Amino acid sequence: YSNYTLRPPKKISICGKFPKDSKKSKDPAALCDWDIAVNISGTLSKYTWDTLVKSAPGVAFSEDKGYLLYLYDSDFGVSNYVPGAGRIPPSQFWFNMYNSRYKNTNEGIQKGYDPSAAHSLSVQLWIVATAVVLGILGIG
């Protein structure tokens, strides 16, 4: 939205498109391959997309770049319409999918390690001042 959005949408929908070179799209001419959320309305200000639950039917996501996410006014659809004055146009966002290859996120860290219990390495000002004075006097 912006200050020019005089008529915000009552419902918003979100859909996704596979990367062009992935050959996963059943209809390459379609703007969307799957719906992520349809007709979001009310006071919802945050939407979390769980890719394990809400994905393209019959096709698994894979690590790739060039996915598209479309956000649009549900009353007008995702087509390339020209919105009237004060309305939001469909917006597209590029994103990439990646696979986390971590098998053990604590690899290399001692079992039971508590980072908040680690000793502070901060140097006291008086130690620095003493070392500077001793250096100036040629002692040490």
Side-chain angles (χ1 to χ4, degrees):
Y1 298 116
S2 73
N3 291 335
Y4 301 108
T5 306
L6 303 175
R7 293 181 280 177
K10 293 181 180 154
K11 298 174 286 189
I12 291 178
S13 293
I14 306 168
C15 67
K17 179 79 175 164
F18 287 110
K20 287 182 182 179
D21 60 348
S22 71
K23 297 182 179 144
K24 289 186 175 185
S25 182
K26 292 179 182 170
D27 181 2
L31 289 175
C32 294
D33 290 320
W34 77 95
D35 290 319
I36 296 169
V38 179
N39 296 330
I40 301 171
S41 62
T43 58
L44 185 67
S45 61
K46 178 181 175 183
Y47 179 83
T48 302
W49 174 29
D50 184 347
T51 57
L52 296 175
V53 176
K54 195 72 172 173
S55 62
V59 182
F61 289 121
S62 60
E63 184 171 333
D64 206 348
K65 56 186 174 185
Y67 284 89
L68 274 170
L69 187 79
Y70 286 95
L71 179 72
Y72 60 95
D73 185 330
S74 300
D75 291 333
F76 292 96
V78 74
S79 64
N80 292 321
Y81 80 95
V82 177
R87 295 203 177 270
I88 64 166
S91 302
Q92 70 179 22
F93 306 93
W94 297 90
F95 69 99
N96 301 330
M97 287 280 199
Y98 68 95
N99 290 326
S100 174
R101 290 179 175 78
Y102 291 121
K103 293 182 181 166
N104 183 356
T105 58
N106 292 328
E107 191 173 318
I109 297 175
Q110 301 172 11
K111 200 170 204 169
Y113 173 73
D114 180 6
S116 22
H119 297 290
S120 172
L121 295 176
S122 62
V123 178
Q124 301 294 329
L125 181 60
W126 68 269
I127 295 173
V128 173
T130 303
V132 169
V133 170
L134 291 175
I136 291 172
L137 296 174
I139 303 172

